[in-house]
Amino acid sequence: MPATVSQLWVYPVKSLKGIRLEATRVTARGLAHDRRFVVVDADGVFLTQREFPAMATVWTEIAGDELRLAAPGFDEVAIPLEPSAGEALVVEVWNSRTPAIAPSPGADRWLSEVLGRACRLAYMPDSTRRESNASHAGPGRLVGYADGYAHLIVSEASLAALNARLAGPVTMDRFRPNIVLAGTGAFEEDAWTAFVAGTARFRMAKPCGRCQVTTTDQATGEVTGPEPLATLGAWRPSEAFGARFGMNAVTLSEGDLRVGDEARPAG
């Protein structure tokens, strides 16, 4: 039985709640609309669930040409999904600093109130080029505001193997994947060099080293640690990447992708 795509996830705003899709477009930077927005502090430095786990409780929704944000106890706020104008600023995500725009003072005020600290919503315009680490991704591979690479690939079998070692199972959303595979063996994706799914082609870049976000309940924003990170750290450690779970990947060729499409290794 061939491997298939069982889930597709896009995260329009880095570290906010994701959206499960039935079909999407694979672009050079990742799945369409994935992490083109990021929440930043007054200095333009990115904020994530690592420091603000409540970000997991902020809902995102794509409605036509709008991106809508909602949170418990707050009215929703809407902004253009692909803003064309805004205040220019520079966004810092890890070791990259890239031009961005802040398109909505209203969204800035809303997020500041929801998260309890001054912050802004920044957008990566098409003119900005943020590139993945060439030593793993190859030269010129683009990425939005994901930590480092355009896609995160995880298999259902890998999660099942992890849950078999845990006292209490965790759900796939703890790992914030983009593409979930069914019909593989546990960690089979680790051995793939490249793969084809739908009409798109991907190349695996490196194992994904996991962080404390995996200990945050993505429904409630509650940090429930130390699992599953403690088990992963003991079971699947690496000197280079830390506790490994899932694979980072880049886009080799753009295309269309939907749940149910076959995913097959291609080298």
Side-chain angles (χ1 to χ4, degrees):
M1 176 177 166
T4 59
V5 175
S6 62
Q7 297 178 34
L8 290 169
W9 288 88
V10 66
Y11 308 88
V13 184
K14 183 179 181 66
S15 258
L16 302 190
K17 196 172 292 293
I19 302 170
R20 190 166 175 175
L21 304 173
E22 288 299 313
T24 189
R25 179 74 181 171
V26 178
T27 78
R29 300 174 200 258
L31 301 188
H33 309 302
D34 188 56
R35 297 176 176 94
R36 292 296 291 270
F37 291 88
V38 62
V39 183
V40 299
D41 66 15
D43 296 319
V45 179
F46 74 122
L47 307 182
T48 75
Q49 289 184 35
R50 295 171 180 87
E51 302 83 19
F52 302 97
M55 294 178 77
T57 66
V58 182
W59 288 81
T60 62
E61 178 187 7
I62 294 173
D65 59 359
E66 283 188 339
L67 173 65
R68 298 175 182 172
L69 308 180
F74 293 87
D75 292 334
E76 71 175 27
V77 65
I79 55 176
L81 180 61
E82 298 179 357
S84 58
E87 181 184 339
L89 71 164
V90 174
V91 164
E92 181 177 329
V93 175
W94 298 117
N95 61 351
S96 70
R97 289 176 56 84
T98 51
I101 58 173
S104 174
D108 296 346
R109 290 190 295 271
W110 188 90
L111 281 164
S112 297
E113 188 174 0
V114 169
L115 298 179
R117 65 161 295 156
C119 57
R120 309 190 74 183
L121 184 66
Y123 176 75
M124 178 184 288
D126 288 341
S127 57
T128 291
R129 288 183 60 88
R130 180 172 180 249
E131 296 186 1
S132 297
N133 185 333
S135 64
H136 297 299
R141 298 299 173 187
L142 297 180
V143 61
Y145 289 125
D147 278 352
Y149 301 87
H151 309 280
L152 177 61
I153 317 298
V154 179
S155 73
E156 293 180 351
S158 298
L159 179 61
L162 171 60
N163 278 333
R165 292 172 172 259
L166 300 177
V170 296
T171 51
M172 184 65 81
D173 61 3
R174 292 286 187 104
F175 302 97
R176 298 176 67 82
N178 295 114
I179 300 171
V180 179
L181 303 176
T184 71
F187 305 108
E188 183 180 328
E189 64 269 25
D190 293 7
W192 290 9
T193 302
F195 72 100
V196 174
T199 60
R201 184 180 175 94
F202 308 81
R203 186 171 79 80
M204 298 302 196
K206 58 175 280 294
C208 183
R210 308 314 306 215
C211 69
Q212 63 266 35
V213 171
T214 60
T215 69
T216 299
D217 186 313
Q218 294 296 301
T220 67
E222 179 186 2
V223 178
T224 62
E227 297 294 6
L229 192 57
T231 292
L232 281 174
W235 179 35
R236 290 179 52 79
S238 72
E239 185 173 340
F241 308 115
R244 295 168 295 129
F245 189 85
M247 290 292 291
N248 293 122
V250 297
T251 303
L252 291 182
S253 60
E254 299 183 348
D256 296 315
L257 185 61
R258 66 174 47 251
V259 169
D261 282 344
E262 181 179 351
R264 61 186 186 276

